[in-house]
Amino acid sequence: MRRVRQLQREPRLIQGNLAMAEGALYAGYPITLSSEIASECARILPQSGGVYLQMEDEIASLAAVVGASLAGAKAFTATSGPGFSLMQENLGMAVMGEVPCVVIDVQRSGPATGLATKPAQSDIMQVRWGRHGDQAVIALSPSSAGECFCLMVQAFNLAERFRVPVVFAAEEIVAHMRENFVSPAPGEIEVVDRKAPQGPPGRCEPFARDAGAVAPVPAFGSGFVFHVSTSMHGPDGFSNNDPAVAAWKVERLHRKLDLHRDEIVMTREFYTDDAEVLFIAFGAVTRAARAAALEARKNGVKAGLLQLITIWPFPDREIAALAEKARTVVVPEMNYAGQAALEVRRILGPEKDIRRVNKYNGRIIAPRDVLAALDFPAK
Amino acid sequence: MWCPGCGNGIVLGALLRAFEELGYENGDTVVVTGIGCWGKADDYLATCALHVTHGRALAFATGIKVYKPELNVVVLMGDGDGVTIGGNHFIHAARRNIDLTAVIVNNFNYGMTGGQVSATTGADRYTSTTPYGNPEREFDICALAGAAGANYAARETVFDGWQLQQRMKEGLTRKGFALVEAVSPCPTHFGRYNQIDGPDLLRRLREVAGDGLVCGLLIDRNAPDFNARYREVQAWAQKRNDRN
Ligand SMILES: Cc1ncc(C[n+]2csc(CCOP(=O)(O)OP(=O)(O)O)c2C)c(N)n1
């Protein structure tokens, strides 16, 4: 399965979870909030020569995904809450080995088993920092079923382009939502494949020093001979404990994302031209914030919305640019600590009027919750 | 490199000679290694290699093998890596009968981290974390593989490198999950704690390893492997799809 599947052009009802399942090789372990992805993959992948693998746990699932990716597959897994916690170690392995893959985390209310069927956005910091060691990943957050489809293609593209795991941080609301969706025609969305080394097969350095910090990598079985390692390694993938090599490797893992930051960071603006009040939201909460902005405008408050499609790397420049014009910034999110608001505070400094809206009871944030952060009288 | 008296070098030699005899090419062979002294073997290999997290090597190898069934995929693990932290993956790889060859060096303890007790350490044996004797019992790795559904399991000691090499060739050419257990001394830790040393090393090792040390071909079956079974699934799915 190397191409986006041929899909009907008629609008059809598509569930967020099912939109994420089209077009890849899958290994996973069932868990409520992402189970539809597993059953859809089990149904459609073997039809086109792909493989659905149900592994013994989430640790093994991501391991199999990394193995399959190194053999050349576009591979992904999907999970929720407890399963995402189990995946952290091998997510670190994927970062270290620079292995393209996509991990869907349908966020649910925690901690631990928590409210197993209810949404949350409380994994934002775990997505970024959940693993030990100096590392970085890319994370995207969809706000609709249609976005699930298109952003999944983007997620694979970014993973392939930058040889990095991409976390697809959805939440129960978007995952179980059904919406009309017209599939893009084949070729309409660009599909990126990782760069392979040129020339006749032979021994190759999969971590070769490269100005863009992303080296070409072959697939196992392509004739090229190469090593990939979880341990600290030099350009050839063999163990290397030299301090200079260790520093080079850690810098490279960060630099490849820093250098290409503008290709990675995606945001969307609604009514921001004259916005004095700026809502910053991601995932399903984007929808409530957008409705709230329209409602605020009816009440004479010039409100706008910045949707964070990429949540890691955090869209700092976009936030700073829009917030400069706004007197008040509101960050609604479905967690207790204000995980995204903390980042917004870091970017805008201690003086800025930043208001948090947090819900952590398994209920969705409604437009009125967002409006409650403003001083105008609610109707 | 490894300590004086360690058997890892003999096992690695046997494996490479088996590759050579079977005509394996470096580009067609992926050796997946776990974490531990034996898990460092990838650094001495000219084949393709993937060095992964502790205990998870079989799961990584499964991903490679399902996507590229034509590759020779070999998994090197210690007893801690393979059947202690990795015990769950081990039984499921055997049950799935995925066409991998696992080579487990069983030195009855965690060598790399300082000789701690492992799931293959016998009852009453001494290790750095069982100073009064091991209150637990050991796994018989080959029996475990057999019970879980492996097509092949054999045990040999590093005192007979040639025999190990033959077992590896058998394991490598067998479809489905194959396990070669290589019993090896760890003079630095397990040997020191349990007085396994001197000219009668093998006899002492046998005594200390107890009933678990029956050598030879122990599991010998020819059940269809996972990839063969999944090809049937793909054929069914394709037929259904064509009908719709
Ligand atoms: C998740 C995790 N836990 C613990 C360790 C530390 N560790 C490294 S090697 C090892 C044990 C290795 O023992 P074994 O698999 O028997 O191999 P040997 O060193 O004896 O060859 C442990 C516990 C680790 N690397 N990762």
Side-chain angles (χ1 to χ4, degrees):
Chain A
M1 289 288 302
R2 295 225 158 76
R3 294 271 157 250
V4 177
R5 273 162 32 100
Q6 173 106 28
L7 301 160
Q8 312 101 292
R9 302 252 40 217
E10 292 297 295
R12 55 175 176 150
L13 208 54
I14 187 164
Q15 193 199 38
N17 264 350
L18 302 190
M20 290 187 264
E22 309 235 16
L25 181 145
Y26 181 92
Y29 185 86
I31 188 166
T32 293
L33 295 196
S34 69
S35 296
E36 294 87 352
I37 302 176
S39 31
E40 183 70 355
C41 287
R43 192 180 67 79
I44 65 172
L45 291 179
Q47 291 176 355
S48 50
V51 179
Y52 165 82
L53 258 184
Q54 185 162 313
M55 296 300 286
E56 50 273 18
D57 59 29
E58 288 84 350
I59 299 172
S61 301
L62 187 48
V65 162
V66 168
S69 174
L70 286 169
K74 290 211 174 155
F76 79 119
T77 184
T79 188
S80 180
F84 189 58
S85 291
L86 283 184
M87 286 181 183
Q88 296 304 321
E89 191 194 15
N90 284 340
L91 210 42
M93 164 79 215
V95 170
M96 187 62 150
E98 305 190 42
V99 182
C101 57
V102 176
V103 175
I104 299 171
D105 173 25
V106 185
Q107 295 173 83
R108 71 189 220 183
S109 188
T113 304
L115 293 168
T117 60
K118 299 285 189 269
Q121 294 178 318
S122 46
D123 299 351
I124 303 306
M125 284 298 174
Q126 185 192 22
V127 165
R128 174 64 187 86
W129 299 109
R131 306 146 290 288
H132 64 281
D134 280 313
Q135 46 73 39
V137 299
I138 294 173
L140 309 180
S141 176
S143 71
S144 68
E147 262 181 31
C148 282
F149 182 93
C150 300
L151 280 184
M152 263 310 270
V153 181
Q154 290 303 329
F156 275 106
N157 286 350
L158 291 168
E160 294 280 317
R161 168 98 175 73
F162 300 111
R163 291 181 58 187
V164 67
V166 174
V167 178
F168 202 76
E171 71 294 280
E172 188 274 340
I173 304 161
V174 163
H176 285 159
M177 184 181 286
R178 283 172 200 270
E179 291 180 289
N180 262 347
F181 175 63
V182 183
S183 319
E188 205 173 305
I189 306 184
E190 190 199 5
V191 174
V192 178
D193 295 317
R194 69 194 79 162
K195 252 195 293 172
Q198 301 300 308
R203 191 155 283 289
C204 93
E205 294 199 335
F207 308 100
R209 290 170 198 268
D210 183 290
V214 190
V217 63
F220 288 141
S222 63
F224 284 94
V225 180
F226 65 104
H227 280 209
V228 170
S229 179
T230 178
S231 294
M232 189 51 76
H233 50 263
D236 60 3
F238 281 72
S239 294
N240 192 323
N241 295 342
D242 184 325
V245 168
W248 161 79
K249 178 73 191 190
V250 169
E251 283 159 16
R252 166 197 181 90
L253 295 177
H254 292 83
R255 217 161 58 84
K256 66 180 176 185
L257 302 188
D258 293 345
L259 278 175
H260 305 281
R261 185 253 180 224
D262 290 344
E263 286 173 65
I264 299 168
V265 173
M266 294 178 277
T267 59
R268 208 160 136 200
E269 296 176 26
F270 300 90
Y271 334 119
T272 51
D273 285 346
D274 59 347
E276 293 165 358
V277 171
L278 179 67
F279 299 148
I280 299 176
F282 51 94
V285 176
T286 306
R287 306 163 79 107
R290 190 173 168 189
L294 287 173
E295 185 64 24
R297 281 185 178 263
K298 280 190 209 151
N299 287 273
V301 177
K302 289 180 183 156
L305 165 66
L306 176 67
Q307 177 192 357
L308 311 182
I309 297 172
T310 302
I311 52 173
W312 297 111
F314 206 70
D316 48 2
R317 284 179 219 156
E318 291 73 5
I319 289 171
L322 283 180
E324 203 178 0
K325 298 180 284 176
R327 68 177 152 76
T328 299
V329 173
V330 180
V331 189
E333 54 186 318
M334 298 177 60
N335 61 58
Y336 178 83
Q339 297 181 21
L342 283 168
E343 285 294 292
V344 173
R345 173 63 74 196
R346 180 177 64 75
I347 293 157
L348 301 181
E351 306 304 329
K352 191 74 183 183
D353 178 16
I354 300 172
R355 303 181 188 180
R356 288 171 31 178
V357 174
N358 302 101
K359 227 172 187 177
Y360 33 83
N361 59 357
R363 292 276 170 83
I364 184 170
I365 289 183
R368 66 173 174 281
D369 300 319
V370 181
L371 288 170
L374 301 181
D375 309 318
F376 74 89
K379 276 192 285 185
Chain B
M1 252 300 167
W2 295 304
C3 302
C6 170
N8 285 350
I10 294 166
V11 185
L12 188 58
L15 181 67
L16 295 181
R17 282 182 207 101
F19 284 177
E20 174 78 23
E21 283 187 38
L22 294 172
Y24 282 12
E25 298 287 339
N26 288 338
D28 303 335
T29 307
V30 184
V31 178
V32 183
T33 58
I35 299 285
C37 297
W38 177 228
K40 289 184 72 63
D42 56 289
D43 276 335
Y44 311 117
L45 291 174
T47 61
C48 290
L50 175 61
H51 180 50
V52 299
T53 46
H54 188 33
R56 319 301 172 194
L58 286 166
F60 284 88
T62 298
I64 299 172
K65 189 68 190 185
V66 297
Y67 195 69
K68 290 261 174 84
E70 67 276 17
L71 288 173
N72 308 308
V73 186
V74 182
V75 188
L76 310 185
M77 300 168 290
D79 49 273
D81 202 46
V83 294
T84 311
I85 188 170
N88 199 34
H89 308 304
F90 182 81
I91 57 174
H92 288 286
R95 177 186 59 79
R96 217 171 263 128
N97 208 19
I98 178 91
D99 186 22
L100 304 170
T101 305
V103 177
I104 295 187
V105 172
N106 185 2
N107 61 8
F108 308 106
N109 75 159
Y110 288 5
M112 177 168 264
T113 40
Q116 294 86 358
V117 70
S118 128
T120 62
T121 310
D124 303 322
R125 297 303 158 210
Y126 300 105
T127 68
S128 66
T129 50
T130 52
Y132 307 109
N134 182 16
E136 301 181 19
R137 294 172 296 172
E138 77 276 27
F139 264 148
D140 176 329
I141 307 177
C142 289
L144 186 62
N151 261 0
Y152 179 95
R155 180 187 292 120
E156 300 295 344
T157 73
V158 298
F159 298 94
D160 194 342
W162 186 85
Q163 192 59 30
L164 258 178
Q165 186 182 327
Q166 306 317 306
R167 295 301 178 206
M168 287 186 188
K169 278 196 301 190
E170 290 171 6
L172 289 165
T173 49
R174 180 65 58 97
K175 276 275 167 218
F177 189 76
L179 164 73
V180 178
E181 177 186 346
V183 172
S184 174
C186 175
T188 305
H189 301 298
F190 194 70
R192 181 161 54 90
Y193 285 113
N194 297 280
Q195 285 84 48
I196 305 173
D197 51 17
D200 60 345
L201 200 64
L202 177 58
R203 193 182 54 78
R204 266 300 284 159
L205 196 63
R206 281 185 179 284
E207 267 171 33
V208 168
D211 299 340
L213 243 187
V214 179
C215 289
L217 173 58
L218 300 169
I219 303 292
D220 185 8
R221 303 184 183 118
N222 280 298
D225 68 293
F226 176 82
N227 283 339
R229 295 280 294 131
Y230 202 74
R231 275 195 296 277
E232 291 172 23
V233 169
Q234 287 171 324
W236 273 108
Q238 188 70 54
K239 251 190 232 162
R240 284 261 206 98
N241 196 29
D242 292 345
R243 239 184 286 147
N244 291 341

